[in-house]
Amino acid sequence: MSLATSAVAALLPVADIDRAKGFYDRLDLPYLGTNDEGSLRYQLSGGAMLMLLPREAGTQNPSTALTWEVDDVVAEVADLEGRGIVFEDYDLPDLKTVDHIAEMGGEKAAWFKDPDGNVLCVHQVASG
């Protein structure tokens, strides 16, 4: 057995399971049900899984927790906004968004938060 070929699960803490389910359902991820602990389980690409763990509020990591690579970040942002997802905007010396999207070395990215403050991202790699 090798970790390089094993399926991966991403684990995120959430304080309110029902609120989290409503949010993650809007991302159109396939819902797999709950486990014995009451964690919500969603299918991700490549056999990976997202597990939302019931935890006390305030246990979130301020850094980006998950990022999805997409073919067209502009279209993905528009689609998610149409489903009620609110994107973050930044105006920092090293990070500035325009229409919610930052360009960095030819790559494009946009960030949003779940109801518990977990930072999520969609990004598009530079072509060429």
Side-chain angles (χ1 to χ4, degrees), residues 20-36:
K21 184 169 186 331
F23 177 84
Y24 282 90
D25 284 351
R26 283 189 284 154
L27 300 183
D28 205 24
L29 303 174
Y31 178 63
L32 301 174
T34 59
N35 65 10
D36 291 342

Side-chain angles (χ1 to χ4, degrees), residues 102-125:
E103 292 197 40
M104 305 158 293
E107 293 192 27
K108 297 177 182 177
W111 294 266
F112 57 103
K113 293 180 181 177
D114 75 4
D116 289 281
N118 293 302
V119 180
L120 311 174
C121 176
V122 290
H123 74 277
Q124 176 183 340
V125 298

Side-chain angles (χ1 to χ4, degrees), residues 6-7 12-13 33 35-36 47-48 63 66 69 86 91 93 105 114-115 122 126 128:
S6 296
L12 295 179
N35 65 10
D36 291 342
S63 299
L66 287 176
E69 183 177 319
V86 177
D91 189 4
D114 75 4
V122 290

Side-chain angles (χ1 to χ4, degrees), residues 66-87:
L66 287 176
T67 184
W68 285 270
E69 183 177 319
V70 298
D71 292 330
D72 184 344
V73 75
V74 173
E76 192 67 34
V77 166
D79 179 57
L80 289 169
E81 280 188 310
R83 291 189 248 156
I85 303 302
V86 177
F87 282 83

